Amino acid sequence: MNVLGIETSCDETAASVVGPSGVLADIVHTQLIHVEFGGVVPELAARAHVEKVVAVVDACLARSGVSHPDAVCATAGPGLIGAVLVGFCYAKALAAAWDVPFLSVNHLEGHMLSPLLDDPAPEFPFLALVVSGGHTTLYACHGLGEYEILAATVDDAAGEAFDKVARMMGLGYPGGPVIDELAAKGNNRAVDFPHPRVRGTLDWSFSGLKTSVRSHLLKNDRASDEDVAASFQRAAVDCLLDRVKKAAKQTGLRRVVIAGGVAANSELRLRINQMGLEAYVPPRSRCTDNGAMIANVGRLHLMAGRRDNLNAGVRPGWSVAE
Ligand code: KG4
Ligand code: ZN
């Protein structure tokens, strides 16, 4: 079954065709319009998706060699409602025109199962650390559609912390890649930033870490940008991996996947492989938002017999573990 997946939940307009042999085409257009605002502006994102979605899907179909997919799916949430609506409505229109099944896909399930597109792919059950600009959650994935939340952030998402720290340092948006690059040239022991905990849970809190970076930056004898970036990155990765380690111990699950934009981080990618667990780390291009992760999840559910009605609506606050 060749499935077209469309993703427009934030600032990437993306489409992909996934078939029995894997990804046939995967086109991602990243909106640059937000850079000057230091963050994604929802209304501008929606408008920019309207301008690009048809061209991105056309290019994807042409590259895949599949002119008439067997099914169409799209991100229904979570995400920015106006942005989600664009890809979702276009996907439904294509499904109606081609007279093929349509399916709504949860964006976080897309990230979580993106390592299933790789070889070797993890087998259920596994732990999934989904770390993006809007979410930081650790799941126990027992099977397709069977997800349990083990830990989540009580305030900022990890990617948001990277973005906010970069903004404080005047490094632009998105912050993750810039901090990652600067950190490579710095001493990650230069500043001892705190490792906040939420008592009695595996949950994270990143706002305290962000605030302590802000306080440090105001000091007269502050460390260099490289050292601050490296020290902040070490603290953030320490916090993320600490919960993975504890969850692996509590659940007995030894397989772990990382996914979402922050999974592109060099230190996280390196250190998850040094924990004595069976780690699955998708290629960087598959960590940030893309259409292949949506087509992949849609295809898995379609093959399990799921279909959505064409009057299905978007679900901007859709939890993957409801
Ligand atoms: O998954 P994603 O593309 O979009 C959301 O669903 O949010 O994640 C975007 C987030 C941004 O916060 C960005 O700063 C972060 O991922 N990110 C990184 C890196 N590359 C992207 N964070 C740390 N290190 C990176 N190399
Ligand atoms: Zn995402």
PDB file of all heavy atoms in Angstrom, residues 12 107 111 132-134 159-160 162-163 174-177 180 260-262 264-265 287-289, ligand 1:
ATOM      1  N   GLU A  12       6.814  23.559   9.081  1.00  0.00           N
ATOM      2  CA  GLU A  12       7.301  22.800   7.934  1.00  0.00           C
ATOM      3  C   GLU A  12       6.110  22.370   7.077  1.00  0.00           C
ATOM      4  O   GLU A  12       5.137  21.816   7.611  1.00  0.00           O
ATOM      5  CB  GLU A  12       8.048  21.522   8.378  1.00  0.00           C
ATOM      6  CG  GLU A  12       9.555  21.671   8.444  1.00  0.00           C
ATOM      7  CD  GLU A  12      10.045  22.170   9.791  1.00  0.00           C
ATOM      8  OE1 GLU A  12       9.303  21.969  10.776  1.00  0.00           O
ATOM      9  OE2 GLU A  12      11.140  22.767   9.853  1.00  0.00           O
ATOM     10  N   HIS A 107       0.533  13.787  15.368  1.00  0.00           N
ATOM     11  CA  HIS A 107       1.904  14.249  15.086  1.00  0.00           C
ATOM     12  C   HIS A 107       2.935  13.594  16.024  1.00  0.00           C
ATOM     13  O   HIS A 107       4.033  13.212  15.598  1.00  0.00           O
ATOM     14  CB  HIS A 107       1.930  15.775  15.248  1.00  0.00           C
ATOM     15  CG  HIS A 107       3.241  16.412  14.978  1.00  0.00           C
ATOM     16  ND1 HIS A 107       3.658  16.759  13.716  1.00  0.00           N
ATOM     17  CD2 HIS A 107       4.252  16.766  15.807  1.00  0.00           C
ATOM     18  CE1 HIS A 107       4.861  17.310  13.786  1.00  0.00           C
ATOM     19  NE2 HIS A 107       5.255  17.315  15.047  1.00  0.00           N
ATOM     20  N   HIS A 111       6.297  11.232  15.304  1.00  0.00           N
ATOM     21  CA  HIS A 111       7.684  11.321  15.813  1.00  0.00           C
ATOM     22  C   HIS A 111       8.081  10.008  16.485  1.00  0.00           C
ATOM     23  O   HIS A 111       9.148   9.443  16.216  1.00  0.00           O
ATOM     24  CB  HIS A 111       7.797  12.443  16.849  1.00  0.00           C
ATOM     25  CG  HIS A 111       7.992  13.809  16.255  1.00  0.00           C
ATOM     26  ND1 HIS A 111       9.019  14.105  15.396  1.00  0.00           N
ATOM     27  CD2 HIS A 111       7.306  14.968  16.431  1.00  0.00           C
ATOM     28  CE1 HIS A 111       8.955  15.390  15.055  1.00  0.00           C
ATOM     29  NE2 HIS A 111       7.924  15.929  15.662  1.00  0.00           N
ATOM     30  N   SER A 132      10.600  17.737  21.402  1.00  0.00           N
ATOM     31  CA  SER A 132      10.480  18.672  20.279  1.00  0.00           C
ATOM     32  C   SER A 132      10.332  20.082  20.815  1.00  0.00           C
ATOM     33  O   SER A 132      10.563  20.333  22.002  1.00  0.00           O
ATOM     34  CB  SER A 132       9.279  18.276  19.417  1.00  0.00           C
ATOM     35  OG  SER A 132       8.099  18.541  20.134  1.00  0.00           O
ATOM     36  N   GLY A 133       9.907  20.996  19.940  1.00  0.00           N
ATOM     37  CA  GLY A 133       9.741  22.386  20.365  1.00  0.00           C
ATOM     38  C   GLY A 133       8.521  22.564  21.255  1.00  0.00           C
ATOM     39  O   GLY A 133       8.451  23.506  22.041  1.00  0.00           O
ATOM     40  N   GLY A 134       7.554  21.679  21.134  1.00  0.00           N
ATOM     41  CA  GLY A 134       6.322  21.820  21.916  1.00  0.00           C
ATOM     42  C   GLY A 134       6.102  20.717  22.935  1.00  0.00           C
ATOM     43  O   GLY A 134       5.239  20.842  23.799  1.00  0.00           O
ATOM     44  N   GLY A 159      12.959  21.587  23.618  1.00  0.00           N
ATOM     45  CA  GLY A 159      13.287  22.403  22.438  1.00  0.00           C
ATOM     46  C   GLY A 159      13.015  23.874  22.700  1.00  0.00           C
ATOM     47  O   GLY A 159      13.758  24.751  22.242  1.00  0.00           O
ATOM     48  N   GLU A 160      11.936  24.120  23.461  1.00  0.00           N
ATOM     49  CA  GLU A 160      11.584  25.495  23.811  1.00  0.00           C
ATOM     50  C   GLU A 160      12.711  26.098  24.662  1.00  0.00           C
ATOM     51  O   GLU A 160      13.055  27.277  24.506  1.00  0.00           O
ATOM     52  CB  GLU A 160      10.299  25.423  24.625  1.00  0.00           C
ATOM     53  CG  GLU A 160       9.502  26.654  24.731  1.00  0.00           C
ATOM     54  CD  GLU A 160       8.217  26.375  25.534  1.00  0.00           C
ATOM     55  OE1 GLU A 160       7.853  25.208  25.808  1.00  0.00           O
ATOM     56  OE2 GLU A 160       7.584  27.373  25.905  1.00  0.00           O
ATOM     57  N   PHE A 162      15.898  25.257  24.553  1.00  0.00           N
ATOM     58  CA  PHE A 162      16.998  25.573  23.623  1.00  0.00           C
ATOM     59  C   PHE A 162      16.690  26.885  22.892  1.00  0.00           C
ATOM     60  O   PHE A 162      17.555  27.748  22.742  1.00  0.00           O
ATOM     61  CB  PHE A 162      17.189  24.446  22.598  1.00  0.00           C
ATOM     62  CG  PHE A 162      18.096  23.333  23.066  1.00  0.00           C
ATOM     63  CD1 PHE A 162      17.608  22.266  23.802  1.00  0.00           C
ATOM     64  CD2 PHE A 162      19.458  23.354  22.765  1.00  0.00           C
ATOM     65  CE1 PHE A 162      18.444  21.247  24.235  1.00  0.00           C
ATOM     66  CE2 PHE A 162      20.308  22.341  23.189  1.00  0.00           C
ATOM     67  CZ  PHE A 162      19.801  21.280  23.929  1.00  0.00           C
ATOM     68  N   ASP A 163      15.444  27.017  22.427  1.00  0.00           N
ATOM     69  CA  ASP A 163      15.067  28.209  21.652  1.00  0.00           C
ATOM     70  C   ASP A 163      15.147  29.472  22.513  1.00  0.00           C
ATOM     71  O   ASP A 163      15.619  30.524  22.068  1.00  0.00           O
ATOM     72  CB  ASP A 163      13.655  28.058  21.072  1.00  0.00           C
ATOM     73  CG  ASP A 163      13.585  26.975  20.008  1.00  0.00           C
ATOM     74  OD1 ASP A 163      14.631  26.668  19.408  1.00  0.00           O
ATOM     75  OD2 ASP A 163      12.495  26.428  19.783  1.00  0.00           O
ATOM     76  N   PRO A 174      15.554  28.843  14.689  1.00  0.00           N
ATOM     77  CA  PRO A 174      15.423  28.064  15.915  1.00  0.00           C
ATOM     78  C   PRO A 174      16.758  27.925  16.633  1.00  0.00           C
ATOM     79  O   PRO A 174      17.818  27.869  16.005  1.00  0.00           O
ATOM     80  CB  PRO A 174      14.916  26.705  15.418  1.00  0.00           C
ATOM     81  CG  PRO A 174      15.408  26.601  14.017  1.00  0.00           C
ATOM     82  CD  PRO A 174      15.496  28.001  13.484  1.00  0.00           C
ATOM     83  N   GLY A 175      16.690  27.841  17.956  1.00  0.00           N
ATOM     84  CA  GLY A 175      17.903  27.887  18.765  1.00  0.00           C
ATOM     85  C   GLY A 175      18.668  26.588  18.853  1.00  0.00           C
ATOM     86  O   GLY A 175      19.902  26.598  19.017  1.00  0.00           O
ATOM     87  N   GLY A 176      17.949  25.457  18.763  1.00  0.00           N
ATOM     88  CA  GLY A 176      18.600  24.162  18.967  1.00  0.00           C
ATOM     89  C   GLY A 176      19.852  23.953  18.129  1.00  0.00           C
ATOM     90  O   GLY A 176      20.937  23.690  18.669  1.00  0.00           O
ATOM     91  N   PRO A 177      19.745  24.100  16.803  1.00  0.00           N
ATOM     92  CA  PRO A 177      20.920  23.851  15.966  1.00  0.00           C
ATOM     93  C   PRO A 177      22.091  24.797  16.261  1.00  0.00           C
ATOM     94  O   PRO A 177      23.246  24.390  16.227  1.00  0.00           O
ATOM     95  CB  PRO A 177      20.394  24.063  14.539  1.00  0.00           C
ATOM     96  CG  PRO A 177      18.908  23.897  14.633  1.00  0.00           C
ATOM     97  CD  PRO A 177      18.523  24.329  16.008  1.00  0.00           C
ATOM     98  N   ASP A 180      23.708  23.803  19.582  1.00  0.00           N
ATOM     99  CA  ASP A 180      24.416  22.546  19.322  1.00  0.00           C
ATOM    100  C   ASP A 180      25.799  22.848  18.704  1.00  0.00           C
ATOM    101  O   ASP A 180      26.838  22.330  19.141  1.00  0.00           O
ATOM    102  CB  ASP A 180      23.541  21.726  18.347  1.00  0.00           C
ATOM    103  CG  ASP A 180      23.962  20.275  18.245  1.00  0.00           C
ATOM    104  OD1 ASP A 180      25.068  19.947  18.701  1.00  0.00           O
ATOM    105  OD2 ASP A 180      23.182  19.474  17.698  1.00  0.00           O
ATOM    106  N   GLY A 260      11.825  13.473  17.492  1.00  0.00           N
ATOM    107  CA  GLY A 260      11.481  14.893  17.634  1.00  0.00           C
ATOM    108  C   GLY A 260      12.710  15.748  17.369  1.00  0.00           C
ATOM    109  O   GLY A 260      13.844  15.252  17.384  1.00  0.00           O
ATOM    110  N   GLY A 261      12.490  17.041  17.164  1.00  0.00           N
ATOM    111  CA  GLY A 261      13.556  17.957  16.760  1.00  0.00           C
ATOM    112  C   GLY A 261      14.802  17.902  17.628  1.00  0.00           C
ATOM    113  O   GLY A 261      15.931  17.933  17.119  1.00  0.00           O
ATOM    114  N   VAL A 262      14.640  17.806  18.944  1.00  0.00           N
ATOM    115  CA  VAL A 262      15.800  17.818  19.841  1.00  0.00           C
ATOM    116  C   VAL A 262      16.616  16.513  19.717  1.00  0.00           C
ATOM    117  O   VAL A 262      17.798  16.481  20.087  1.00  0.00           O
ATOM    118  CB  VAL A 262      15.360  18.088  21.306  1.00  0.00           C
ATOM    119  CG1 VAL A 262      16.536  18.140  22.256  1.00  0.00           C
ATOM    120  CG2 VAL A 262      14.561  19.390  21.386  1.00  0.00           C
ATOM    121  N   ALA A 264      17.831  15.619  17.204  1.00  0.00           N
ATOM    122  CA  ALA A 264      18.912  15.949  16.260  1.00  0.00           C
ATOM    123  C   ALA A 264      20.144  16.433  17.017  1.00  0.00           C
ATOM    124  O   ALA A 264      21.213  16.616  16.429  1.00  0.00           O
ATOM    125  CB  ALA A 264      18.436  17.034  15.291  1.00  0.00           C
ATOM    126  N   ASN A 265      20.015  16.636  18.330  1.00  0.00           N
ATOM    127  CA  ASN A 265      21.131  17.197  19.106  1.00  0.00           C
ATOM    128  C   ASN A 265      22.319  16.226  19.213  1.00  0.00           C
ATOM    129  O   ASN A 265      22.162  15.071  19.624  1.00  0.00           O
ATOM    130  CB  ASN A 265      20.636  17.579  20.507  1.00  0.00           C
ATOM    131  CG  ASN A 265      21.709  18.235  21.327  1.00  0.00           C
ATOM    132  OD1 ASN A 265      22.396  17.581  22.091  1.00  0.00           O
ATOM    133  ND2 ASN A 265      21.889  19.524  21.127  1.00  0.00           N
ATOM    134  N   CYS A 287      14.269  13.644  12.390  1.00  0.00           N
ATOM    135  CA  CYS A 287      13.970  14.085  13.762  1.00  0.00           C
ATOM    136  C   CYS A 287      13.066  15.308  13.726  1.00  0.00           C
ATOM    137  O   CYS A 287      12.051  15.363  14.401  1.00  0.00           O
ATOM    138  CB  CYS A 287      15.262  14.422  14.501  1.00  0.00           C
ATOM    139  SG  CYS A 287      16.285  12.978  14.823  1.00  0.00           S
ATOM    140  N   THR A 288      13.442  16.307  12.914  1.00  0.00           N
ATOM    141  CA  THR A 288      12.591  17.488  12.797  1.00  0.00           C
ATOM    142  C   THR A 288      11.378  17.100  11.939  1.00  0.00           C
ATOM    143  O   THR A 288      11.356  16.028  11.322  1.00  0.00           O
ATOM    144  CB  THR A 288      13.374  18.661  12.173  1.00  0.00           C
ATOM    145  OG1 THR A 288      14.122  18.150  11.081  1.00  0.00           O
ATOM    146  CG2 THR A 288      14.341  19.261  13.169  1.00  0.00           C
ATOM    147  N   ASP A 289      10.368  17.973  11.924  1.00  0.00           N
ATOM    148  CA  ASP A 289       9.095  17.619  11.287  1.00  0.00           C
ATOM    149  C   ASP A 289       9.278  17.212   9.828  1.00  0.00           C
ATOM    150  O   ASP A 289      10.010  17.860   9.075  1.00  0.00           O
ATOM    151  CB  ASP A 289       8.121  18.803  11.389  1.00  0.00           C
ATOM    152  CG  ASP A 289       7.655  19.007  12.827  1.00  0.00           C
ATOM    153  OD1 ASP A 289       7.894  18.126  13.663  1.00  0.00           O
ATOM    154  OD2 ASP A 289       7.045  20.055  13.084  1.00  0.00           O
TER     155      ASP A 289
HETATM  156  O1  KG4 B   1       9.961  18.319  16.054  1.00  0.00           O
HETATM  157  P1  KG4 B   1      10.225  19.705  15.635  1.00  0.00           P
HETATM  158  O2  KG4 B   1      10.793  19.950  14.262  1.00  0.00           O
HETATM  159  O3  KG4 B   1       8.935  20.592  15.722  1.00  0.00           O
HETATM  160  C1  KG4 B   1       8.003  20.441  16.739  1.00  0.00           C
HETATM  161  O4  KG4 B   1       7.123  19.535  16.620  1.00  0.00           O
HETATM  162  O5  KG4 B   1       8.123  21.207  17.730  1.00  0.00           O
HETATM  163  O6  KG4 B   1      11.200  20.331  16.757  1.00  0.00           O
HETATM  164  C2  KG4 B   1      11.674  21.639  16.688  1.00  0.00           C
HETATM  165  C3  KG4 B   1      12.557  21.888  17.904  1.00  0.00           C
HETATM  166  C4  KG4 B   1      13.014  23.333  18.041  1.00  0.00           C
HETATM  167  O7  KG4 B   1      12.783  23.751  19.380  1.00  0.00           O
HETATM  168  C5  KG4 B   1      14.513  23.289  17.723  1.00  0.00           C
HETATM  169  O8  KG4 B   1      15.264  24.269  18.398  1.00  0.00           O
HETATM  170  C6  KG4 B   1      14.856  21.893  18.215  1.00  0.00           C
HETATM  171  O9  KG4 B   1      13.766  21.091  17.826  1.00  0.00           O
HETATM  172  N1  KG4 B   1      16.098  21.386  17.606  1.00  0.00           N
HETATM  173  C7  KG4 B   1      17.217  21.096  18.314  1.00  0.00           C
HETATM  174  C8  KG4 B   1      18.198  20.724  17.356  1.00  0.00           C
HETATM  175  N2  KG4 B   1      17.639  20.782  16.114  1.00  0.00           N
HETATM  176  C9  KG4 B   1      16.355  21.186  16.289  1.00  0.00           C
HETATM  177  N3  KG4 B   1      17.464  21.140  19.633  1.00  0.00           N
HETATM  178  C10 KG4 B   1      18.712  20.813  20.047  1.00  0.00           C
HETATM  179  N4  KG4 B   1      19.719  20.453  19.197  1.00  0.00           N
HETATM  180  C11 KG4 B   1      19.498  20.388  17.860  1.00  0.00           C
HETATM  181  N5  KG4 B   1      20.492  20.030  17.033  1.00  0.00           N
END
